[in-house]
Short mmCIF file of all heavy atoms in Angstrom, two decimals:
data_model
loop_
_atom_site.label_atom_id
_atom_site.label_comp_id
_atom_site.label_asym_id
_atom_site.label_seq_id
_atom_site.Cartn_x
_atom_site.Cartn_y
_atom_site.Cartn_z
N ARG A 193 50.55 162.70 43.07
CA ARG A 193 51.92 163.23 42.94
C ARG A 193 52.75 162.35 42.02
O ARG A 193 53.59 162.83 41.25
CB ARG A 193 52.59 163.30 44.32
CG ARG A 193 52.06 164.37 45.24
CD ARG A 193 52.34 165.78 44.76
NE ARG A 193 53.72 166.04 44.43
CZ ARG A 193 54.71 166.27 45.30
NH1 ARG A 193 54.43 166.27 46.60
NH2 ARG A 193 55.93 166.51 44.90
N LEU A 194 52.53 161.04 42.10
CA LEU A 194 53.32 160.12 41.29
C LEU A 194 52.85 160.04 39.85
O LEU A 194 53.67 159.90 38.94
CB LEU A 194 53.29 158.72 41.92
CG LEU A 194 54.18 158.54 43.16
CD1 LEU A 194 53.81 157.25 43.88
CD2 LEU A 194 55.66 158.54 42.78
N THR A 195 51.54 160.12 39.62
CA THR A 195 51.01 159.86 38.28
C THR A 195 50.38 161.07 37.60
O THR A 195 50.25 161.08 36.37
CB THR A 195 49.91 158.77 38.34
OG1 THR A 195 48.77 159.30 39.04
CG2 THR A 195 50.41 157.52 39.05
N GLY A 196 49.94 162.04 38.38
CA GLY A 196 49.18 163.16 37.82
C GLY A 196 47.71 162.87 37.68
O GLY A 196 46.94 163.73 37.23
N ALA A 197 47.26 161.67 38.04
CA ALA A 197 45.84 161.28 37.93
C ALA A 197 45.16 161.46 39.29
O ALA A 197 45.63 160.94 40.30
CB ALA A 197 45.71 159.83 37.48
N ALA A 198 44.05 162.19 39.31
CA ALA A 198 43.33 162.47 40.55
C ALA A 198 42.14 161.53 40.70
O ALA A 198 41.43 161.26 39.73
CB ALA A 198 42.86 163.92 40.56
N ALA A 199 41.92 161.04 41.92
CA ALA A 199 40.83 160.10 42.17
C ALA A 199 40.28 160.30 43.57
O ALA A 199 40.98 160.74 44.49
CB ALA A 199 41.30 158.66 41.99
N SER A 200 39.01 159.96 43.75
CA SER A 200 38.39 159.80 45.06
C SER A 200 38.27 158.30 45.34
O SER A 200 38.26 157.49 44.40
CB SER A 200 37.00 160.44 45.09
OG SER A 200 37.06 161.84 44.86
N GLU A 201 38.16 157.92 46.61
CA GLU A 201 38.09 156.49 46.95
C GLU A 201 37.22 156.32 48.19
O GLU A 201 37.34 157.08 49.16
CB GLU A 201 39.51 155.95 47.19
CG GLU A 201 39.61 154.44 47.29
CD GLU A 201 39.34 153.93 48.69
OE1 GLU A 201 39.67 154.66 49.66
OE2 GLU A 201 38.77 152.83 48.84
N THR A 202 36.33 155.33 48.17
CA THR A 202 35.28 155.25 49.17
C THR A 202 35.77 154.89 50.57
O THR A 202 35.24 155.41 51.55
CB THR A 202 34.20 154.22 48.76
OG1 THR A 202 34.81 152.96 48.48
CG2 THR A 202 33.43 154.70 47.56
N SER A 203 36.74 153.99 50.73
CA SER A 203 37.15 153.61 52.08
C SER A 203 37.77 154.79 52.80
O SER A 203 37.59 154.96 54.01
CB SER A 203 38.11 152.41 52.06
OG SER A 203 39.40 152.77 51.62
N PHE A 204 38.47 155.65 52.06
CA PHE A 204 39.09 156.80 52.70
C PHE A 204 38.04 157.88 53.01
O PHE A 204 38.01 158.42 54.11
CB PHE A 204 40.21 157.38 51.84
CG PHE A 204 41.10 158.29 52.62
CD1 PHE A 204 42.13 157.77 53.39
CD2 PHE A 204 40.91 159.65 52.62
CE1 PHE A 204 42.93 158.59 54.16
CE2 PHE A 204 41.70 160.50 53.39
CZ PHE A 204 42.73 159.96 54.16
#
Side-chain angles (χ1 to χ4, degrees):
R193 289 294 308 282
L194 284 166
T195 68
S200 298
E201 191 275 328
T202 54
S203 74
F204 197 82

